[in-house]
Amino acid sequence: MKIKKFTILLILLSLAMLLVSGCDDRDLPTSTDAEYKIVRLESTVDLIYADNNVTFSYISAYVRDNNNFGAAEIPVRFQTDRGSIVTSAITNQSGIARVPFYDAGEVGEATITAIVYTYSQYDATEITGNDSKSIKITIAEKPAIGNLTIEISSNEFLVNQSVVVRARVYDTLSNPVADSTMIRFETDRGFFVADDGETNMGSIAIIPTQNGMAPLRLNVGQQAGIGNVNVRIDTLSASENYTVRPGNPFNLNVNTYLADDELNLVEETNEAMIDTEYKIVVQADLKDAFNNANPNKVVRFETNLGTFYNTSEVFYQNTNAQGIAKVVFTPGLAAGPATITAFANSDTLSSVALFTIRSDELHSIRFNTQDQVNLNVANTGGIDSKILYVSLYDINGNYIDNETNIYFKMIGAIPGGNSDVHSPAYLSGQDENGVVHTTSNGGQAAVSVVAGTKSGVIKLRVSTTEEGLDSAATNVIRATKTNILIQAGPPSYMFWGIPQHDQAVAIGGGMWELLMNVAVKDVYGNPVSYGTSVWFSMESATENAMIQGSAYVGNGPDVTANDSNPSEIDSLSSVGVAYTLLTFSSELSLQEITLSSETAGINPETLEDDIIITPLVYELPWNEPETDMQVNPGHIDFFGATPEFLWVDVIVRARDGQGQPIQNVTWTFTSDRGTFYDFIVTSFQTNEAVSDEEGYARIKLKVFNYEGLPSPDGVTPGQQQIQIEARVLGTGISENGRTMILKYP
């Protein structure tokens, strides 16, 4: 009976709501002096419930001035005869003032009025006008919540994924609950996100409904596992479980362990004896970027030593629920460092574990360096000491890991050992018998060989006992290295290399650059070591020339790096050769200058033996030669038998590539007619001439009458051509000219 009465009451209430408009603007009396008017009064909903202010409606008053523009920053008063409302608000830039209206626990129809006042411009407290409007809002008894459901798009997500969770709420009449009904959301995994898509609202959020639905975005978080989301209103609740899966594999770690026969891990270690009683287990741990385990993922294991499960060097294994993949590593008979690599996520991830298999029964010793070891004589600037390693092996060729006594000694003749002048080669840390005692570590032992001041060959022996160093000892483990060479003693002699003709490089401004060098040898004729210092200088100051002084053997790339036309020694400097650059002006071409080179030995107190100064008187080259020839006159005339002879002037000019005249050029002349004489002293017969300061070389050609041809017809002169050639011997430079003998009848 009670239910029937309640149903009838709700029907009557619904009919009343149809008759009353929620946006019923009523124009109340307005003062004629009103400057502002309320043109419209609206509510977001026209029905709320007496639910202790859970549901509410926003009331908006639209205010305009006399010019019909929205009035900003104007105070608006609100009042109601039922319920609760914020009584005052200021209009925004659009002229809208907005306040919330609540039920305050009352039931019935509420009349809400908004009033705007106009104040005197002379007295801010004097009201000169007003305007108002009213609307009706129904406050009904809160109907009971009939049904609450939750919707989620899926039950399985990846970490850090976002999803919209919806709560739907209906009353007992199967109608959506009133708007702004507040719904409580809770989750035990992840967090809720605000409408901006970024703000973290935490694991609990309360939001209002709209048409009976409340949507909220949930970020499932960064931790994999089972999560739950719950919605609640009054005594009703609904929930959904979901699974958060790990993200893509991001981290791969590999560790090695000793394990028992059941593969229970006993100890984490990166080494084991070759005959260990335990199994060696390689464990790969695969996780995503948020440290969640990645289950059921393929991991590929590879090793360069031994096998997996005695089968192959490559093995595939899936990770378990904890993201772990295990494989048994079997070294077999091989000892040494094993590089074990794990790959995952289509080989985009990899991790390496180094595991050392140790062995302890010595069978042989071997020098690590089988090639020749080259040392330089001490104090000559090169490498004069070197650390040599030996390795200790068992019968299977595996490293012996336990500490073993090792002895080193040089045997036979030691370079410089019997000399009163030279210091002998030695082993660093040797005792009075020349023996070095050390202990192996990780299957290796080392000794440092130091050169003395004399060249020669060192023979080095190693053994596990001091007695084993003796050549007569038997049944001992030892090894001998006979190819340790102390090469290149201190400088003893040096000589200059002579650049070719036309080898200098133009650097502009009338200057040329010439690459010079000296070769430095020791007393045995060997090239000295790289780095041996050489000093270049000019014996006396030479105008318009300079030399790069500091140098060393092997400095070719350094010198030619500054050369405008780098030579072939840019990439590899010649052994035993030091280079320098000589810069000179065009005026010095073919002029003689004196250069000196100097280096030092290892015994500066005997200067005459150890400091070598080699002077060079050198004629600077003629660079990019330019020459031409002039023959004057172009023809010579004889009339009958007179005169007996005539003179021809032959002039050649020499310049370098920058147009500067070159003097001291010796020209050699040849001709198929006539005889050459000195240009000035015509009684001196010669076929050579030397260019002067202007670059000109002059010579006279004496041509006799009888060398011409007679007139062929008694009218026209006989013609005989003379070919003249000038050469600079040894250079390939030549010039040609001609003149004509005309012999008239």
Side-chain angles (χ1 to χ4, degrees), residues 7-8 35 81 86 105 184 195 233 263 271 288 342 349 367 435 456 471 507 517 530 556 561 584 654 656 711 714:
T7 303
I8 295 174
E35 181 179 352
D81 59 356
V86 176
R184 178 186 176 93
D195 291 340
I233 183 172
L263 298 187
E271 62 178 12
D288 67 6
L349 294 177
F367 280 93
V435 177
S471 299
I507 59 175
N517 67 74
Y530 284 108
F584 60 94
D656 66 6
S711 173

Side-chain angles (χ1 to χ4, degrees), residues 164-294:
V164 175
V165 179
R166 292 181 175 85
R168 294 187 183 274
V169 192
Y170 297 89
D171 59 23
T172 55
L173 300 178
S174 297
N175 295 316
V177 298
D179 290 351
S180 300
T181 299
M182 307 305 289
I183 303 297
R184 178 186 176 93
F185 287 76
E186 299 178 359
T187 184
D188 61 357
R189 190 174 298 272
F191 55 91
F192 296 108
V193 182
D195 291 340
D196 60 10
E198 297 181 0
T199 303
N200 186 334
M201 300 174 64
S203 60
I204 299 176
I206 300 175
I207 65 170
T209 61
Q210 181 73 28
N211 294 325
M213 183 179 67
L216 186 60
R217 183 168 292 277
L218 168 68
N219 186 303
V220 298
Q222 299 174 353
Q223 185 176 359
I226 304 298
N228 175 269
V229 60
N230 179 275
V231 293
R232 185 184 304 275
I233 183 172
D234 292 343
T235 60
L236 296 181
S237 67
S239 65
E240 282 283 352
N241 290 331
Y242 55 88
T243 301
V244 180
R245 300 293 184 192
N248 291 328
F250 185 80
N251 289 311
L252 177 63
N253 292 318
V254 177
N255 299 94
T256 50
Y257 300 86
L258 297 181
D260 59 21
D261 290 341
E262 302 300 325
L263 298 187
N264 298 311
L265 303 184
V266 176
E267 176 189 2
E268 181 177 359
T269 181
N270 60 359
E271 62 178 12
M273 296 299 296
I274 195 169
D275 55 353
T276 178
E277 61 180 305
Y278 294 106
K279 293 185 181 297
I280 301 170
V281 172
V282 182
Q283 177 174 297
D285 191 1
L286 188 61
K287 294 183 178 181
D288 67 6
F290 308 107
N291 208 36
N292 297 300
N294 285 110

Side-chain angles (χ1 to χ4, degrees), residues 413-427:
I414 299 174
N418 297 321
S419 172
D420 295 332
V421 178
H422 294 284
S423 299
Y426 64 95
L427 302 180

Side-chain angles (χ1 to χ4, degrees), residues 314-366:
V314 179
F315 196 86
Y316 294 86
Q317 182 70 51
N318 284 358
T319 57
N320 60 17
Q322 288 73 44
I324 294 174
K326 296 181 181 179
V327 65
V328 175
F329 169 65
T330 306
L333 297 177
T339 301
I340 303 172
T341 308
F343 299 89
N345 199 35
S346 299
D347 290 353
T348 59
L349 294 177
S350 65
S351 183
V352 176
L354 298 178
F355 196 91
T356 302
I357 304 299
R358 298 183 284 110
S359 183
D360 57 3
E361 185 176 350
L362 179 64
H363 183 265
S364 65
I365 301 177
R366 185 185 310 161

